[in-house]
Amino acid sequence: MSDTERTLPVWRRLSYAAGHFLNDLCASMWFTYLLLFYHSVLGFQNTYAGVLLLIGQVADGVCTPLIGYESDRTPGCGNYGKRKTWHLVGTLSVLLSFVFVFNQCVGCSSDTPQWARLVYFTPFIIVFQFGWAAVQISHLSLIPELVTCEHAKVELTAYRYAFTVMANVTVYAVAYLLFHFQEGQEVDPLSDSLGPADVPVFRNLALSVLVVGALTSLLFHVGTAERRPGEAGGRERMKEEEEEDGSAAPSSSVLQWTCWLQQPSFYQVALLYMCTRLIVNLSQTFISMYLINTLGLPKNFIATIPLVMYLSGFLSSIIMKPVSKLIGKCLTYFVGVLLILTFASWVLLDVRMGRGIYGAAVLLGAGSATILVMSLAMTADLIADQTQSAAFVYGAMSFTDKLANGVAVMIIQTLHPCHTSVCCPDCVWFYHYVIVGVTGGVAMVATLVLCAILIWPITIRRSDSGLLPGDAAATPRRSLSPDVPGIQSDLLSH
């Protein structure tokens, strides 16, 4: 069977990738505009805005592993697969809550204290993050169930990220149009600073996101068929694919979550994924502050520069598969890190970059896309045939990144030198060094973790205590190399 025949049809890949489009749309607004909306539009103090984001990240971080564990255990609703059942629950939660996150407090006035408004927004943020986590984990967990060929996993992950890029492009394009056609403003409204008059822009943006996301989620549920455990066709397909890869092996046992926690490779991949998400999410969160407060650009740039970033990310995702086949996943990840370090150096040295921000945005977008796709592909490699516990693994990975992002944002907001909604002279340099630190600083840590994976390749060590009852005598499966030429190792059994 050819490599093409061993992958999903194009329409199945597209319908699968569409299943995370709603999450991607909402995440784009969450990380890019949340602090900006609550601080500059609603007038929250920096610390209160940071607290709301931290609440969301902690709620997501707590819900993610719990949903992952339950998603692995529950059989699903009737004949509906367990992954798609959780996906549906999460989608409904997001649709019902997200519109309230980017809106004014209902019933509040100018005299309402900020702590009361914070209490008002908290339940909507928690419900939204629960739904977001349910969609993310169930969607990621489908990758090793839909395909088993390693390069097919990379391809499916690339499709998924391509839709992520398109979601971000959609958000920024609609945001630009809404700012451009904003009602009730003077001539040249794009050069004005953000304020309470921009609340309708963000509310309409959130409504647009929910409408488009609901349609793509429907496409996912109609076009994606989840393989049920024990299906003969699924077992035959997996066996045939493994034989074509030259890696056929006897059926392996199912790892319990306690066994995953005993794997050194589990922590290696989790740390790399956390660093990756810190770079991607924190740069997305603070790029708008950097553009407006440090570079002094008009507010339309908070739509155009992120748009450039994600267009470059989309182009890099297209060439991801052939490059990873040629040099391996780890070296491809390293190429992405080099692009991000180049961006950080440029920002550090060029204080008044002006139009050069477009070139820097291309570097950041391409680098972020590369490391994100490769880190997800390495996670899929770690799971391999352990699809029945895939949701727990993805949940644990996501827990580290959500908690780290929330704590990092809270620390940065606490260190903010200004205590008003208007940027003071000190915050000009503050955001300059923040954007350098969250990209270049974290990229150097990610490089060290990547070196550790090259020295100690990804493997799974088995023990009887980590197997499900009756599986103690199972034959260990093959090694999970990080797919770098010349690096191969066998699994250590028991």
Side-chain angles (χ1 to χ4, degrees), residues 428-489:
V428 174
W429 289 103
F430 178 76
Y431 286 116
H432 175 81
Y433 290 115
V434 165
I435 204 69
V436 171
V438 300
T439 54
V442 181
M444 287 189 284
V445 177
T447 303
L448 296 177
V449 179
L450 186 66
C451 291
I453 292 178
L454 289 170
I455 297 173
W456 298 285
I458 302 173
T459 57
I460 297 297
R461 294 175 171 84
R462 302 261 178 162
S463 63
D464 291 353
S465 60
L467 305 177
L468 289 179
D471 288 331
T475 304
R477 57 185 172 88
R478 62 186 177 87
S479 170
L480 298 176
S481 162
D483 198 26
V484 177
I487 298 181
Q488 296 291 333
S489 61

Side-chain angles (χ1 to χ4, degrees), residues 235-469:
R235 290 197 304 267
E236 291 172 0
R237 177 173 63 85
M238 292 175 65
K239 181 178 180 181
E240 187 178 31
E241 290 178 1
E242 289 179 349
E243 289 174 351
E244 287 294 322
D245 284 341
S247 58
S251 176
S252 62
S253 57
V254 178
L255 291 180
Q256 291 181 319
W257 67 272
T258 52
C259 186
W260 280 115
L261 296 178
Q262 299 170 13
Q263 307 299 326
S265 293
F266 176 82
Y267 297 98
Q268 284 179 305
V269 176
L271 187 56
L272 186 69
Y273 183 74
M274 183 190 73
C275 291
T276 300
R277 279 296 185 180
L278 280 173
I279 294 171
V280 174
N281 293 342
L282 292 181
S283 63
Q284 188 177 2
T285 298
F286 290 103
I287 191 69
S288 297
M289 303 291 194
Y290 171 71
L291 294 172
I292 292 179
N293 297 319
T294 300
L295 299 183
L297 298 172
K299 65 183 179 183
N300 65 314
F301 275 77
I302 68 174
T304 55
I305 293 302
L307 184 61
V308 171
M309 289 169 51
Y310 280 94
L311 284 175
S312 64
F314 176 76
L315 294 177
S316 66
S317 68
I318 295 176
I319 64 173
M320 204 75 64
K321 182 182 178 182
V323 171
S324 67
K325 277 187 175 181
L326 181 64
I327 65 175
K329 297 184 184 69
C330 282
L331 294 183
T332 305
Y333 186 98
F334 183 66
V335 171
V337 169
L338 288 179
L339 293 175
I340 291 171
L341 288 173
T342 303
F343 163 83
S345 302
W346 191 347
V347 171
L348 179 63
L349 299 175
D350 192 353
V351 179
R352 303 288 183 185
M353 65 171 54
R355 295 294 175 179
I357 187 62
Y358 287 102
V362 170
L363 292 175
L364 180 59
S368 298
T370 301
I371 63 175
L372 183 57
V373 171
M374 288 300 103
S375 64
L376 288 173
M378 290 181 195
T379 306
D381 280 350
L382 175 69
I383 294 171
D385 60 345
Q386 295 296 323
T387 59
Q388 295 306 304
S389 57
F392 170 77
V393 176
Y394 282 118
M397 301 292 173
S398 187
F399 173 78
T400 60
D401 107 71
K402 297 300 186 303
L403 192 60
N405 273 281
V407 172
V409 168
M410 192 63 218
I411 292 174
I412 292 172
Q413 290 296 101
T414 302
L415 296 175
H416 197 285
C418 305
H419 301 287
T420 62
S421 59
V422 180
C423 182
C424 63
D426 291 338
C427 81
V428 174
W429 289 103
F430 178 76
Y431 286 116
H432 175 81
Y433 290 115
V434 165
I435 204 69
V436 171
V438 300
T439 54
V442 181
M444 287 189 284
V445 177
T447 303
L448 296 177
V449 179
L450 186 66
C451 291
I453 292 178
L454 289 170
I455 297 173
W456 298 285
I458 302 173
T459 57
I460 297 297
R461 294 175 171 84
R462 302 261 178 162
S463 63
D464 291 353
S465 60
L467 305 177
L468 289 179

Side-chain angles (χ1 to χ4, degrees), residues 73 101 181 218 233 250 268:
R73 291 176 65 248
V101 176
F181 297 109
L218 179 62
Q268 284 179 305

